[in-house]
Amino acid sequence: MPLRSLLLAPLAVLILGLASPALAANAGFTVVQAADPQGGAPITVGVWYPTDAPARPMPLGIADQVAAPGAPLVGDHLPLIVMSHGNGGFFGGHADTAQALAEAGFVVAALTHTGDNYADQSRATDMANRPRQLSAVIDYMLKASPMHGAIDADRVGAFGFSSGGFTVLVAAGAEPDLSTVAPHCKAHPDFFDCKLTAAHPPSAEAMKAAWTHDARIKAVVSAAPAMGYSFSKAGLAKVSVPLQLWRAEDDQILPDPFYASAVRANLPKAPDWHVVPGAGHFDFLTPCNDKGRATAAAICASAPGFDRAAFHKDFDAKVVGFFKANLAVKP
């Protein structure tokens, strides 16, 4: 079903399923629009959720998923996971992980960051805008979404990749030091983030913006977090929630030791730490379909011998297991 049609799917269909006693085994899927409290354009959010309706293969961007579009939601007191994509991405960048979480009993809300997505880079380096938007999506899901009555506000987790990995750390209490960006990029002008900053210099307002923290977030998964070097021990001191932290062994976009390893070294307590042998930066994205491999090789291609699909089976299982353990989800 086209995304435009999903946006027009009757919201009542979702609500009618809330009281269903059946055991959900599949992932429902819909797309909603969350209001931006600062009055900007609405935030587009892909939502996956438990359903007992039949699921079917369907394309989503340059990848595929198995889901039931517009199906009734099943369950109540469900935990919520909010997802933040990397620079230039969109809500579907981690569709397989979202699907796995929904099949395990989670509601997953993945936003497309306005100003930092595949179609709009106007605020690509306005990093404070990202956790603010993430918090706005939590507000929407808990208070205004058609499924808000089925979500447990005390069980909220956050997942992020790359710039999204930075986003969820800040949302969980981290305070980056943006004065570290200039010296880092002077030393490493060829790094992807430094080229991005040079192409899209942050405004003076963005450099001074307050960071948004959200105490409703009780557990975090951060994969290949951007700007890890900007977090000192003091800057990470207030990150007290359980944290699963991932690094790709052969990350050419955010090379070691300046990003995930820097975060790990400065955390107040050891995270659930994973290094993926042979993986590149984009291997954390959902495996691509044939169209994606043909048209977006830069993010779809893996190193020879690395099986992204096989890795994601393990990755998704570990992410689901982490959130189950730390958000008190029954087996």
Side-chain angles (χ1 to χ4, degrees):
M1 180 182 295
L3 292 183
R4 183 178 298 275
S5 298
L6 288 170
L7 289 169
L8 300 175
L11 297 182
V13 173
L14 297 173
I15 298 171
L16 289 174
L18 296 182
S20 172
L23 178 64
N26 294 326
F29 174 68
T30 191
V31 180
V32 296
Q33 300 290 322
D36 187 326
Q38 288 193 355
I43 301 169
T44 299
V45 186
V47 184
W48 291 257
Y49 52 89
T51 187
D52 54 9
R56 59 175 174 81
M58 58 178 291
L60 185 64
I62 56 176
D64 297 314
Q65 65 174 345
V66 180
L73 182 151
V74 171
D76 54 25
H77 297 93
L78 300 172
L80 170 69
I81 306 298
V82 286
M83 281 189 164
S84 175
H85 62 74
N87 167 250
F90 86 119
F91 68 74
H94 304 279
D96 66 301
T97 306
Q99 177 187 323
L101 284 162
E103 291 169 350
F106 294 81
V107 174
V108 181
L111 76 160
T112 295
H113 284 282
T114 52
D116 185 6
N117 58 66
Y118 70 96
D120 178 10
Q121 289 282 279
S122 61
R123 301 183 73 173
T125 53
D126 183 355
M127 300 304 287
N129 194 45
R130 286 176 140 268
R132 182 193 69 78
Q133 291 179 343
L134 191 75
S135 188
V137 170
I138 296 176
D139 284 341
Y140 170 79
M141 293 302 298
L142 296 182
K143 300 173 184 178
S145 75
M147 57 190 71
H148 73 275
I151 298 173
D152 186 342
D154 292 325
R155 295 194 292 162
V156 178
F159 171 101
F161 162 68
S162 198
S163 287
F166 170 94
T167 301
V168 296
L169 288 170
V170 172
E175 287 273 340
D177 179 0
L178 296 186
S179 72
T180 61
V181 175
H184 172 78
C185 288
K186 183 177 181 181
H188 307 287
D190 292 332
F191 282 13
F192 176 87
D193 54 342
C194 296
K195 290 181 178 179
L196 181 68
T197 300
H200 301 276
S203 66
E205 180 183 4
M207 292 293 286
K208 296 177 181 178
W211 299 105
T212 300
H213 309 307
D214 199 317
R216 294 172 295 187
I217 295 173
K218 302 299 194 300
V220 166
V221 173
S222 178
M227 296 178 64
Y229 62 85
S230 70
F231 296 112
S232 65
K233 287 186 181 295
L236 289 169
K238 293 183 180 179
V239 179
S240 59
V241 299
L243 172 64
Q244 187 178 77
L245 185 61
W246 291 80
R247 178 174 80 82
E249 182 183 52
D250 191 27
D251 194 327
Q252 300 296 312
I253 301 297
L254 301 178
D256 200 54
F258 304 101
Y259 302 95
S261 291
V263 171
R264 182 192 183 200
N266 286 330
L267 284 166
K269 60 182 181 181
D272 177 15
W273 172 245
H274 299 269
V275 179
V276 187
H281 185 73
F282 297 116
D283 284 315
F284 288 113
L285 294 173
T286 192
C288 298
N289 56 24
D290 290 342
K291 175 185 176 182
R293 287 186 287 271
T295 62
I299 62 174
C300 288
S302 298
F306 186 84
D307 188 333
R308 188 186 293 193
F311 160 59
H312 271 255
K313 290 182 180 179
D314 180 66
F315 178 65
D316 293 349
K318 284 185 168 64
V319 170
V320 170
F322 173 82
F323 280 130
K324 276 188 171 184
N326 290 289
L327 296 178
V329 178
K330 295 179 181 179

